[in-house]
Amino acid sequence: MGYSKDQLLARLKELQIEFSQYEHPVVLTVEAQAKYVGNMGGVLSKNLFLKDKKHRYYVVSALADTKVDLKVLSQRLGLGKGGLRMAPEEALGEILQVPLGCVTPFAVVNESARHVSLLLDQGFKSQKCCIFHPLSNDMSIFLNAQGLDKFLKSVGRNPSYIDLEANPPVGKDQPPDLAAFVPSDSPVLSDLPEKAPPSQDSTGKSIGAATNSAAVTAKAVKPSGNAQNVKEKPVDSVRPSIPAADAGKFVEELLDRASALLLSEISEDSIKQHGGQLGDEVANNIKKCLREDLKNLATIFKNTAYTEGFYAGTRYQPKRL
């Protein structure tokens, strides 16, 4: 059973996060929500629940007027132009544990959403007040980015704000700038040729997950021992671009996650509850929370070495005697 609206509001109060709330009829779109809270001094948000072809999930939370091009975002993640689409409605209940129209960054509080990647619009940081659903679309809450950050850090998340309207080039010598946000233990492949229409861009008209979307068409190229297969595809089209191979970024990500978890574990209540055993309790909880993430990151490095070796092998042409 996931977090309820009342539990979330209680958690915000417990963390002493300043917010206000407004109850209204159930709404399924940003436009419908705007009729009730659009003139109350905050900026509306649109929240998209997305998936890629490997069934990895993403929540993209943006200002209502931010243009989110799914093809561009997919390329920036290293998934190809058609690598993202709206997640099916069933996944809302199974993973985010919210009904249709209730997608929100607060849904990552649920354990089932632990591996969902959260991408936040950098525009939130310049706003005095942002409007989100508190796991239920019959209410809107108003808070600033600092309050959202405090909540996310309390559940072990390091808030990541990005420019969702940017369209940087992606290619052989220009790796995807957002590839580190792919929640995967697999290598990130560069853009591949499309064979069918990609997912449609988000217009911001819906704040839920779409049940019908275009098929994901970019297919990952797997290493093959068949020399004929290697000849059929240009080498440059299958070279992986894996920013995770950057040891500095790897270490920084580990430190950020460990720091966020450490801060979230230490509170007045935990000190009273565990006393002299607090150190052992915090250490055990951090190990439990980080174990899977560290396994994933280590596997990315292992796969990076493999794919780079495969790429080098396809480029090497021994001289014939």
Side-chain angles (χ1 to χ4, degrees):
M1 188 71 178
Y3 252 61
S4 68
K5 173 180 65 178
D6 292 337
Q7 287 175 314
L8 175 63
L9 297 178
R11 181 70 176 270
L12 294 176
K13 293 176 182 177
E14 179 185 340
L15 293 169
Q16 298 182 346
I17 295 174
E18 293 186 7
F19 72 95
S20 59
Q21 63 191 65
Y22 180 82
E23 294 185 354
H24 51 69
V26 170
V27 293
L28 293 175
T29 65
V30 175
E31 289 81 359
Q33 185 185 21
K35 293 179 181 178
Y36 300 102
V37 299
N39 60 349
M40 297 181 66
V43 293
L44 292 163
S45 65
K46 59 184 176 186
N47 298 275
L48 310 174
F49 187 36
L50 309 173
K51 66 172 289 188
D52 63 25
K53 61 182 179 180
K54 292 187 177 181
H55 304 287
R56 299 170 295 200
Y57 293 89
Y58 311 76
V59 168
V60 177
S61 186
L63 296 175
D65 58 358
T66 294
K67 296 179 180 179
V68 181
D69 188 321
L70 293 190
K71 289 192 289 186
V72 172
L73 181 60
S74 180
Q75 279 190 297
R76 294 177 66 190
L77 288 165
L79 305 174
K81 288 184 179 179
L84 281 179
R85 60 177 171 178
M86 294 294 182
E89 185 176 348
E90 310 84 70
L92 284 171
E94 294 177 5
I95 298 174
L96 295 188
Q97 299 197 41
V98 297
L100 184 66
C102 300
V103 180
T104 169
F106 294 106
V108 299
V109 69
N110 292 312
E111 179 63 23
S112 56
R114 184 173 170 220
H115 295 295
V116 174
S117 182
L118 176 61
L119 305 179
L120 299 168
D121 190 345
Q122 68 177 17
F124 286 137
K125 302 185 77 173
S126 61
Q127 302 297 325
K128 292 182 179 180
C129 190
C130 307
I131 306 174
F132 302 96
H133 286 313
L135 305 175
S136 176
N137 55 356
D138 60 357
M139 176 184 286
S140 294
I141 58 174
F142 301 68
L143 78 169
N144 56 29
Q146 290 74 26
L148 178 60
D149 290 352
K150 188 173 183 179
F151 170 80
L152 292 174
K153 290 178 180 178
S154 78
V155 296
R157 290 279 187 152
N158 188 35
S160 301
Y161 292 89
I162 62 175
D163 182 356
L164 290 170
E165 292 187 336
N167 187 9
V170 176
K172 176 181 175 182
D173 299 317
Q174 296 167 307
D177 64 315
L178 301 181
F181 295 104
V182 175
S184 169
D185 56 0
S186 301
V188 179
L189 300 181
S190 57
D191 188 23
L192 298 174
E194 296 179 24
K195 295 184 180 180
S199 303
Q200 296 298 312
D201 299 347
S202 167
T203 61
K205 291 183 178 180
S206 173
I207 58 176
T211 56
N212 295 311
S213 59
V216 179
T217 58
K219 294 187 176 180
V221 177
K222 297 182 179 179
S224 169
N226 190 328
Q228 184 176 358
N229 289 343
V230 173
K231 291 180 181 179
E232 289 176 354
K233 291 185 179 291
V235 173
D236 288 341
S237 70
V238 300
R239 183 181 183 183
S241 297
I242 309 176
D246 187 325
K249 289 183 179 179
F250 178 80
V251 172
E252 287 299 322
E253 186 171 354
L254 293 184
L255 292 176
D256 286 343
R257 293 186 185 185
S259 297
L261 283 171
L262 180 61
L263 292 173
S264 68
E265 291 291 336
I266 300 177
S267 65
E268 292 184 6
D269 291 338
S270 62
I271 293 174
K272 293 178 181 178
Q273 181 179 355
H274 301 289
Q277 301 299 318
L278 179 60
D280 292 338
E281 183 69 19
V282 170
N284 290 334
N285 286 343
I286 289 178
K287 286 179 182 178
K288 179 180 178 181
C289 292
L290 283 180
R291 183 175 287 113
E292 194 63 32
D293 286 340
L294 293 178
K295 284 182 181 178
N296 289 342
L297 290 171
T299 304
I300 288 176
F301 265 73
K302 180 186 73 174
N303 289 340
T304 298
Y306 172 78
T307 50
E308 288 292 345
F310 171 73
Y311 170 74
T314 59
R315 291 296 298 267
Y316 174 67
Q317 299 293 334
K319 294 182 179 179
R320 295 183 179 179
L321 299 177

